Amino acid sequence: MNPALNSSTVADILRRSAARVPDRIALRFGERQWTYAELDAGVSRAAAHLLGLGLRRGDRVAAYGKNSDAYLIGFLACARAGLVHVPVNYNLTGEDLAYLIGQSGSGVVLTDPALREAVDAVTGELAVSRVLPLRDAAGSLLAVAAAGDDVPEPAVEVADTDLAQLLYTSGTTSRPKGAMMTHRALVHEYLSCVVGLDLAEDDEPLHVMPLYHSAQMHVFLLPWLAVGATNHLMEIPEPGEILRRIAEDRHRAFFAAPTLWVALANHPDFGERDLGALRKAYYGASIMPGPVLERLRAAMPELGFYNCFGQSEIAPLATILRPEEHARRPESAGRAALFVELRVVDGSGTDVPPGELGEVVYRSPQLCVGYWDKPEETEEAFRDGWFHSGDLVRRDEEGFIYVVDRIKDVINTGGVLVASREVEDALYTHPAVGEVAVIGLPDEHWIEAITAIVVSKKDVSAEELLAHLRERMSAFKVPKSVHFVDDLPRNASGKILKRELRARLTP
């Protein structure tokens, strides 16, 4: 049978939208815009160009760039050419950058010319044959995509079981692992997003989070391309510019990680700009502090909020809390997405009763097929026929889950387990707290001493914060110490790197 008869690949998503709405604007970035027909043709040109360089189906191609139309074209061109796209956080340099390029076995790196120096500094020790500019240079992939009327069809057959991307995990507790995502997994996830998040062609979404992270690319940009929406892309997520764009361009849908929502809520323009056009607000990629969500919902009562929860290995959407469900369960992460089956189990893999704590495990066609070149880690995560997430949750009688913490972030203080998130949420209720992370540090008496690291918005003492907590929680949950810092270390998705904080503060 001809594979094209029943093809279901990432590149087909764009091809089908281009056939349905060829003249509609698919993407706007800066002064450039692409219709669906233009974008589809540009992707084919870029795919043929990559294959013309000698790359072969299954070869890995690292992408090291900021948000741009060129970055999206690079991903879709790899998908159409049967290549495996490896998104890399453009903030990584040195050993961290070399690790991802080297561990993935990427022979080609696509990069912004402004970032080329960081790539050149590490590729001499790696098996990289070529570094190609994504944009802003002669012979860039963007220039190839935009050049001429010729639209070659890449001479390669891509199956939906082929790898489309290596999505490297957050690496908050250890070295990142490359989750092997097939076209089939991503396409299933796109449908889960379209259905569960009410994505529509007239949403005029604004995309600001990094495309190297799976949430912005796979929960929002590609699914909105699938439904034929006009997508607006910003290079970097600058809070003041985001508020201006939403107000002036009348965007109706927007996604941000909780850390960015915090920054938007704290920005002086937040109460001044008219954000009334917004109808759909999405948050996820890390846990939203409860007090921050309450503040946002109170400030914008007509806005529908969606909580999106998951992780890289499941492409990454696993559960959704819809707007109509927030009133009764604002702290919930929702219920399983369309193609996701989940359970909550104890250490032996036995289901726990509703209300009790356990690890959430998944079965889904959205799941990766393992970790690149890490068989032991793959076997450990995919044991007993389920993927083990590492997330500690509880589930109510109606199937809604509540994320308590990452299992590795639960603190053992004097033999009693305390969820760091509970202490963080309590600290967020103090008006001087801008951001906070709570960790456990080794302690001879307590086993782990609960420790708070705070970014303050105004002058406040450690004793004032501790007194605030003593009024709100049991004494054993109150931190033993408070440290003030200017900012918190983060990974690509905005998650706080607690392992770095532990390393800094451990004697």
Side-chain angles (χ1 to χ4, degrees):
M1 178 182 291
N2 183 347
L5 291 176
N6 57 5
S7 178
S8 183
T9 70
V10 170
D12 293 323
I13 294 291
L14 176 61
R15 179 183 286 119
R16 287 167 179 151
S17 289
R20 191 173 67 253
V21 287
D23 298 326
R24 182 177 298 162
I25 301 300
L27 183 68
R28 286 194 171 100
F29 175 74
E31 299 300 316
R32 293 191 293 269
Q33 66 180 31
W34 302 75
T35 67
Y36 273 92
E38 290 168 341
L39 187 61
D40 186 55
V43 166
S44 287
R45 293 188 194 102
H49 180 70
L50 292 174
L51 292 173
L53 298 175
L55 289 167
R56 296 291 179 264
R57 176 180 171 182
D59 285 348
R60 275 79 63 208
V61 176
Y64 184 71
K66 296 183 178 181
N67 285 1
S68 68
D69 47 357
Y71 191 96
L72 174 63
I73 288 169
F75 168 57
L76 291 171
C78 285
R80 189 157 289 177
L83 305 172
V84 183
H85 187 260
V86 183
V88 180
N89 178 354
Y90 60 75
N91 293 303
L92 297 180
T93 58
E95 182 182 343
D96 292 332
L97 175 58
Y99 172 79
L100 291 192
I101 295 174
Q103 203 276 335
S104 65
S106 295
V108 169
V109 179
L110 305 176
T111 189
D112 295 339
L115 302 174
R116 176 69 184 260
E117 185 176 347
V119 176
D120 289 342
V122 303
T123 51
E125 303 174 3
L126 303 171
V128 173
S129 61
R130 193 183 297 262
V131 179
L132 297 175
L134 277 165
R135 52 176 168 151
D136 304 329
S140 69
L141 199 66
L142 180 67
V144 170
D149 298 323
D150 181 42
V151 185
E153 186 66 26
V156 62
E157 290 185 357
V158 183
D160 62 7
T161 52
D162 288 350
L163 294 187
Q165 207 171 45
L166 295 185
L167 280 179
Y168 276 83
T169 59
S170 299
T172 55
T173 57
S174 61
R175 280 283 204 179
K177 301 183 289 290
M180 297 186 287
M181 308 306 306
T182 64
H183 289 266
R184 178 175 180 265
L186 292 175
V187 171
H188 274 86
E189 195 262 358
Y190 298 162
L191 184 53
S192 284
C193 296
V194 170
V195 172
L197 302 178
D198 302 319
L199 306 186
E201 63 180 17
D202 62 350
D203 282 334
E204 293 286 332
L206 178 64
H207 303 273
V208 305
M209 297 300 294
L211 293 180
Y212 60 67
H213 184 258
S214 57
Q216 189 69 80
M217 181 70 90
H218 297 312
V219 179
F220 298 102
L221 182 50
L222 262 295
W224 258 312
L225 284 172
V227 299
T230 295
N231 296 273
H232 303 255
L233 182 63
M234 285 178 58
E235 184 175 70
I236 56 174
E238 198 286 308
E241 180 63 9
I242 290 169
L243 293 172
R244 185 193 70 79
R245 291 278 300 268
I246 292 174
E248 295 182 6
D249 298 342
R250 313 302 290 169
H251 293 291
R252 293 191 283 275
F254 172 70
F255 160 72
T259 50
L260 181 54
W261 278 114
V262 170
L264 292 171
N266 291 335
H267 196 277
D269 289 351
F270 181 71
E272 303 299 322
R273 294 285 190 183
D274 177 10
L275 308 180
L278 269 184
R279 287 293 175 265
K280 301 171 186 177
Y282 303 92
Y283 63 95
S286 60
I287 294 174
M288 173 77 88
V292 174
L293 178 60
E294 289 177 15
R295 220 158 58 232
L296 289 167
R297 294 183 66 220
M300 298 179 285
E302 302 302 318
L303 186 57
F305 281 89
Y306 297 74
N307 185 358
C308 309
F309 174 72
Q311 58 196 110
S312 299
E313 291 91 339
I314 202 162
L317 187 70
T319 69
I320 303 162
L321 185 71
R322 295 175 51 80
E324 66 272 17
E325 297 166 339
H326 270 72
R328 288 181 58 200
R329 301 176 173 86
E331 297 180 352
S332 173
R335 290 185 283 195
L338 179 64
F339 284 110
V340 176
E341 180 183 358
L342 64 80
R343 296 164 56 215
V344 180
V345 302
D346 61 20
S348 65
T350 302
D351 289 78
V352 300
E356 292 193 10
L357 295 181
E359 180 182 19
V360 62
V361 298
Y362 303 113
R363 285 197 306 206
S364 172
Q366 296 177 197
L367 279 166
C368 68
V369 292
Y371 298 118
W372 180 261
D373 200 26
K374 290 187 178 292
E376 293 181 1
E377 288 86 342
T378 298
E379 184 177 356
E380 171 63 18
F382 289 84
R383 61 187 185 274
D384 306 321
W386 293 80
F387 172 74
H388 289 249
S389 70
D391 285 315
L392 185 68
V393 309
R394 59 182 175 85
R395 190 181 190 185
D396 67 19
E397 295 280 359
E398 296 179 63
F400 289 85
I401 69 165
Y402 299 76
V403 181
V404 176
D405 219 334
R406 289 292 292 172
I407 290 174
K408 293 181 180 179
D409 287 338
V410 173
I411 301 167
N412 182 350
T413 176
V416 180
L417 299 183
V418 175
S420 61
R421 182 190 178 186
E422 181 182 1
V423 185
E424 290 164 355
D425 276 357
L427 278 164
Y428 270 114
T429 64
H430 193 287
V433 174
E435 293 186 286
V436 62
V438 171
I439 60 174
L441 294 178
D443 186 273
E444 290 184 2
H445 178 71
W446 295 105
I447 305 175
E448 288 184 304
I450 301 176
T451 305
I453 301 95
V454 175
V455 178
S456 60
K457 294 189 290 186
K458 57 185 178 180
D459 288 341
V460 64
S461 68
E463 184 50 46
E464 182 180 341
L465 292 180
L466 295 176
H468 179 78
L469 291 180
R470 292 187 190 104
E471 296 176 355
R472 288 162 173 77
M473 56 178 37
S474 301
F476 71 89
K477 298 180 181 180
V478 175
K480 304 300 185 235
S481 63
V482 177
H483 298 259
F484 293 96
V485 296
D486 293 331
D487 53 58
L488 298 171
R490 304 184 184 285
N491 67 6
S493 62
K495 294 179 184 177
I496 295 168
L497 292 170
K498 292 189 174 181
R499 61 180 169 86
E500 286 194 14
L501 292 173
R502 292 189 190 99
R504 290 181 194 177
L505 298 175
T506 299

